[in-house]
Amino acid sequence: MNATDPQDDLDVNAFALAIEAFNRFYIRLPTLERFSFTTLSVLHTLSRTNPLRLTELTRTEQVTQPAITQLVTRLERDGLVERRPDPDDGRAVQVHITEAGLDVVRARHSDRTRRLAAIVEQLDPGQRAAIAAALPALLRLAELGQEGKQQTDPR
């Protein structure tokens, strides 16, 4: 698939622009539990892939080691994560999300869903059906991105 090939059934550039436009408003939907985007990203990552080492969080969150160390220290102080010894390597620690951290993730998801539902209601039935039909493909695309199976850097 080529982003500029007119024979393709998906204009990847237009798709990327639509996702970017959607993400700009979507990530800001929740009004509960105001945290930085990096903080929320770490909590969401740990809610799905728990526990992780600091080095793994550095890679997934695309921040420096000192930045993630400082952030995890703050999250630990706030009771949202905790550090525990890595059972496979006594020199390393793993970062675990706490129940309070999961509560933040759940509350934001609930608030986001409620706010998104109000926006979705403004779409006509055909638009809602189109989104519903696209959900399996969007979920698969997210899986591929998470698994790293798709080459995302064309260099």
Side-chain angles (χ1 to χ4, degrees):
M1 179 168 287
N2 182 323
T4 59
D5 186 345
Q7 298 302 313
D8 283 338
D9 57 350
L10 175 63
D11 181 340
V12 177
N13 184 57
F15 177 66
L17 290 170
I19 293 293
E20 290 166 358
F22 179 81
N23 281 344
R24 270 192 300 279
F25 95 88
Y26 182 75
I27 62 175
R28 292 169 177 85
L29 274 179
T31 57
L32 305 171
E33 306 284 349
R34 296 221 183 247
F35 294 100
S36 73
F37 290 130
T38 305
T39 295
L40 294 168
S41 182
V42 167
L43 291 175
H44 281 270
T45 296
L46 289 172
S47 75
R48 290 171 175 76
T49 313
N50 190 39
L52 289 175
R53 287 183 173 187
L54 286 172
T55 53
E56 294 167 317
L57 278 173
T58 298
R59 186 173 51 255
T60 62
E61 305 310 311
Q62 301 179 5
V63 295
T64 65
Q65 183 78 27
I68 202 70
T69 300
Q70 183 179 42
L71 177 59
V72 166
T73 298
R74 195 167 54 249
L75 291 173
E76 189 173 33
R77 181 196 66 219
D78 294 343
L80 301 175
V81 302
E82 57 185 27
R83 295 180 219 216
R84 298 182 198 155
D86 186 331
D88 298 326
D89 182 353
R91 300 167 296 164
V93 297
Q94 293 178 328
V95 180
H96 296 253
I97 192 166
T98 64
E99 195 59 38
L102 287 171
D103 287 346
V104 169
V105 173
R106 290 181 196 123
R108 289 182 57 81
H109 176 77
S110 178
D111 189 41
R112 181 178 279 145
T113 300
R114 184 177 55 79
R115 291 173 178 277
L116 186 58
I119 296 168
V120 168
E121 286 177 6
Q122 298 175 45
L123 299 175
D124 67 47
Q127 291 168 323
R128 287 193 304 272
I131 292 171
L135 289 177
L138 291 170
L139 288 170
R140 180 63 183 139
L141 187 61
E143 287 172 3
L144 289 171
Q146 289 293 333
E147 294 168 4
K149 290 184 178 179
Q150 180 62 39
Q151 177 74 27
T152 56
D153 187 355
R155 287 181 267 158

